[in-house]
Structures are given as C-alpha cells and as structure tokens.
Amino acid sequence: MGLVDWARLRSPWVLHFNTGACNGCDIEVVAALTPRYDVERFGIRLVGSPRHADILIVTGPVTKQVEKRLKRVYEQMPEPKFVMAVGNCCASSGAFRNCYNVYPGLDNVIPVDVYVMGCPPKPEAIINGVVKLLEKLKKLKGGAS
Amino acid sequence: MEGEAVIQELIDVLRTLLFPGFLFFVILGLFFEWIDRKFYAKLQNRVGPLYTGPWGLLQPLADFVKLMAKEDIVPEGAIKPIFSSVPVFALALSLFAALFLPVCGPQGIVSFPGDVIVLAVVLTLLVILVFLGGLSPASRYPEVGAERSVLQLLGYEIPLVASILGATAMTVGLGGSLSIEGIVNAQRDWWSILGFQALGFAIFLLAAQAELERVPFDIPEAETEIVAGWTTEYSGKKLALLRLARDVELAFLCGLGATLFLGGPWPGPLVPGLGGAIVSTIIFVIKSIVVLLLLTVIRAAMSRLRIDQMVNFAWKYLVPLSIFQLLLAVVVAPLMIHLLTL
Ligand code: SF4
C-alpha cells in the first residue's frame, strides 16, 4: 500500500447534503459527529465546502427540485470522491415512494458507493458505512471511483 | 581559507533548509496541529485522532498527503495567477517569518536590527494574501470571507503590533534595540511576562488567535455561515499548502509569543557548546507549546463572534488596552527602574 492510499484511508472528510430529508437522518448524521462517537479518532472531519470533501453524505429522498443542485455539488468535489446514501429515503425513496416529485433513489442521479439503511439509521450504522466505504477503497487500491 | 568559506556557506544553507529552518518548522507545524487537535479533543471529553500513527501523531501528515494527491480544481472565473500563487506565497511567508525565531540560541538564522518591524509587516502581508485568495476565485462566499478578514485585520492589527513593540521595552535598560536578539537577551534573567508585560502577553494571545483565524475569531472562514470562507474554492494541492502554511504560522506565532514574553530559549544558551543548542531548542519548543495550549483553551472555551462584535470589541477595549500597556511598558516601567536604581 502506497503512501497516498495510506493517507486516503486515514483522512476521509465528509460533506453533509440534505436533499429533502425529514431531518431525522440529518440529526443522526450530526449525532455521529458529536464527541460521544468522536469520529475524529479515524480522521473523519465534517467540512463545509464541497471542494474540500472526499465523501458526500446524502440524506433524504432526492426531489426533482434539488437534483440540479445535488449534481452541481457532486461535480464541485475533486476526484477521488465517494458518495454515501444515508437512510431509506435516500437509497430507495422510502416513505416517499411513488411520489410525483421524488426520484426512486439517489443512484438515479449520481453514482453511489455505499448505502446505509434505516429510518433513520443509528450513528453507529453511519460510522459503519464510512468504514465499509474505506474497505472498498482499500480493495480499489488507489483507483479513482 | 577558500575551503572554510565554502563550508561555512554550506552550513548556513543546511541551517536554513533543515534545522532550525524550513524542515524543522514544517515538522513543528504538523506536530503543533496534532497537539492542538488532541488537546482540543481532551477539553471536549473525547480522544481526538487516534489510529493514524502512534496516538494519531501522523494525522496532520495524512491530511496533507491526501490533499496533495487530490484533484486540483481552478474555478472558471478565477484570476488564475493570483489564485494559484496565494498558497505558495502564504507558505513561503510563514517559513520566512519563522527564520527570525531564536530556536537554538539567542539569535535566529536571520537577525538584524529592526527585524521586529519586518515581522509585524509579514503578519500583515499574510492577511493581504488571505484577501487576495478570497477575491481571486470570483465566487461569492470567498469574497465575503476576504472582506471579513480585512475588517478583522483593522481590529486586531494595532493591538498585535503594540504588544510586539511593548516587548521591545525590555531592552530599554540595555541601550534599546528593535531586534529579536535584543529582546531575547534582555530576558536573560527576567522574563518579560513577569513584569509589566503580562497584559501585553494577554493582548498578544488574543491578537494571535485572530491572526490565525481560530475561534472566537474564525469569522473569515465561518463554516456555518459562508461555507468555508475565503478557502471555499481551494482544493487539492493548493488547500494542502494553505493548511500547511497555517500550521507553520501557528508554530511561528506560538514561538513568537515564547520569544517575546517567555524568554525564548533562555536559560538554554548558558550550557556551553553543542549541548547549549540542544537544550535551547528543547526549552524553546516547550515554551511554544505552553503558548499553544493557551491558544487551544481559548479556542475550546469560546464560540464565534459576529464580525461587528469583533470589531466593536477590538476598538472599544483591545486598542485602548494595548495603547495603555504600551505606555506602561515604554514610559512607566523604565521610569520606575530608573527611580529604583537611583
Ligand atoms: S429515512 Fe426516515 S428519517 Fe431519514 S429522511 Fe427518510 S423518513 Fe426521515
């Protein structure tokens, strides 16, 4: 494993984007970042700008209105970038299934690397999702997503 | 004779590049970031970086390497030459400033009468760079951040310079001098902070916090209001260099605080020979760490001010206080020394 891979696995910076969630998932994402779970142990940091981020955490059903913005935020992130869908809504539109204004899932709009299920998922599950993502990264070995 | 000159030249170059020059300060900067994050975590009842190297010691390095390997985006509307050169200049300026610090003896690598003023200018230039870095990408949030950083500069620059100048008052009894070396030597048996400079030290801490844009003065990069402030559009290598520049600046300002108020490397240089340099370095780093821990406590104990609150506070309290302490240091203290020695 090269130096770059080593660094990449140890410094995943996340960006949190709400595409229309009921706020349940957002609260859990924020809870996962509190001192109780202390994700800084793994080098995980919440950043404000898409330009700084490695992982895009998306919560909530992707509404038609937010689609353009979501794509833009995704495109603003520098490679290599990864996407994590948090919550049932985000993965498969969950409670909002078949609504006229939402997409059936996040993967209809941007490529997704990890799905975390639950309504809402526990903070432990979200951290586990990040760990799964890192494992996937390890297998890719330096390849961009 | 010729050979000796060449060897002396070589030693000077090595001193500048390795120790106590660039490499030393880069490593010290990364180390200081780690201490800062770790202690900050402790104050919040958590452990902080843990799994990257022993006790998470390599976390700042991992962040740096990762950012270096990421895609480097330049926004379309950006003024490219300025946008791209700001991170390089920021790092270069911080490293240049660090050369003045008396790490392994009472004298820095660069030292001349008046270098205190050069340092004050460098500290202002760093903020001008922030301003350019915020304006050049032609994007809204960085612009707001850039404006805020300059507004903030108007607030804390006078106190910062006044507290630095106040420290030079220590040299008054010794013929007076505006050089770091003079200030350090004047503190040989009596650190500035133990006298009239305690107030100056407090003002310096607040101003340094503002210069570094850390809580409660992280207004130019307030991530809850303006995305990431002036750094919003920076990514990849440029962001890595900016962060490194910040780390070096942090190490530099902590070192400057230790130099001006805590006696710098004293009593290290009393040890003769090479041992003196080693002891001085250790003492200097420990004193800098003390300053760093104080800065971290300020960061952990406070929340962000609004820009108007900051400027208000600076002009209503910080500036008058700093002028008062300058008077105290330059007029009252020498007068009292004069009266006492009569
Ligand atoms: S998954 Fe549940 S908690 Fe999350 S946004 Fe959807 S409805 Fe809300």
Side-chain angles (χ1 to χ4, degrees), chain B residues 3-217:
Chain B
E4 256 172 46
V6 170
I7 287 176
Q8 189 55 41
E9 195 85 335
L10 206 69
I11 288 178
D12 278 350
V13 169
L14 283 183
R15 261 163 63 89
T16 314
L17 288 182
L18 300 179
F19 180 86
F22 297 154
L23 187 70
F24 174 71
F25 269 97
V26 166
I27 293 174
L28 198 70
L30 294 175
F31 179 56
F32 272 26
E33 187 196 335
W34 174 77
I35 296 182
D36 182 41
R37 282 169 76 167
K38 202 74 180 169
F39 187 59
Y40 187 63
K42 263 263 122 55
L43 293 174
Q44 291 185 337
N45 220 350
R46 53 194 182 91
V47 283
L50 189 63
Y51 296 113
T52 316
W55 310 290
L57 218 100
L58 298 179
Q59 186 65 51
L61 183 70
D63 289 348
F64 178 74
V65 173
K66 179 206 75 178
L67 284 174
M68 277 314 248
K70 265 182 98 76
E71 188 189 356
D72 195 351
I73 301 172
V74 180
E76 214 173 34
I79 309 169
K80 288 197 183 78
I82 299 181
F83 184 73
S84 312
S85 56
V86 161
V88 181
F89 277 123
L91 184 59
L93 262 183
S94 322
L95 284 173
F96 168 69
L99 291 185
F100 288 92
L101 290 182
V103 179
C104 56
Q107 202 178 6
I109 298 177
V110 188
S111 170
F112 50 84
D115 50 9
V116 176
I117 295 174
V118 175
L119 285 186
V121 172
V122 167
L123 286 174
T124 307
L125 276 182
L126 278 167
V127 181
I128 305 287
L129 277 181
V130 167
F131 183 66
L132 288 176
L135 280 192
S136 56
S139 165
R140 280 173 219 116
Y141 298 113
E143 229 160 79
V144 177
E147 278 158 22
R148 286 183 181 192
S149 77
V150 172
L151 258 180
Q152 185 161 283
L153 174 74
L154 294 180
Y156 70 78
E157 199 197 13
I158 295 174
L160 183 63
V161 173
S163 67
I164 293 177
L165 284 184
T168 60
M170 274 305 273
T171 63
V172 167
L174 296 160
S177 117
L178 271 179
S179 75
I180 297 277
E181 194 191 353
I183 297 174
V184 171
N185 281 334
Q187 297 180 79
R188 189 177 170 141
D189 10 61
W190 193 251
W191 299 357
S192 313
I193 191 175
L194 299 173
F196 284 96
Q197 295 296 325
L199 181 62
F201 184 59
I203 293 170
F204 177 83
L205 279 186
L206 281 180
Q209 193 82 342
E211 168 82 32
L212 290 162
E213 290 172 3
R214 287 149 55 93
V215 181
F217 304 116

Side-chain angles (χ1 to χ4, degrees), chain A residues 25-118:
Chain A
C25 285
D26 303 294
I27 290 172
E28 298 303 316
V29 169
V30 172
L33 298 165
T34 52
R36 182 184 172 94
Y37 295 99
D38 191 17
V39 287
E40 205 190 358
R41 282 178 300 158
F42 311 105
I44 301 175
R45 271 188 56 196
L46 182 73
V47 291
S49 164
R51 297 267 195 238
H52 303 181
D54 305 296
I55 301 175
L56 179 66
I57 293 187
V58 186
T59 55
V62 185
T63 60
K64 298 227 156 113
Q65 188 167 15
V66 88
E67 183 204 353
K68 242 167 82 186
R69 283 94 184 168
L70 176 63
K71 276 187 184 158
R72 230 170 122 185
V73 165
Y74 179 74
E75 278 157 9
Q76 279 173 342
M77 286 169 62
E79 294 279 357
K81 53 190 167 190
F82 307 93
V83 179
M84 206 169 121
V86 169
N88 287 352
C89 283
C90 192
S92 64
S93 71
F96 303 94
R97 190 148 197 97
N98 293 335
C99 273
Y100 68 96
N101 60 342
V102 303
Y103 282 97
L106 177 64
D107 42 12
N108 291 55
V109 184
I110 53 175
V112 182
D113 294 279
V114 180
Y115 299 90
V116 180
M117 305 308 272

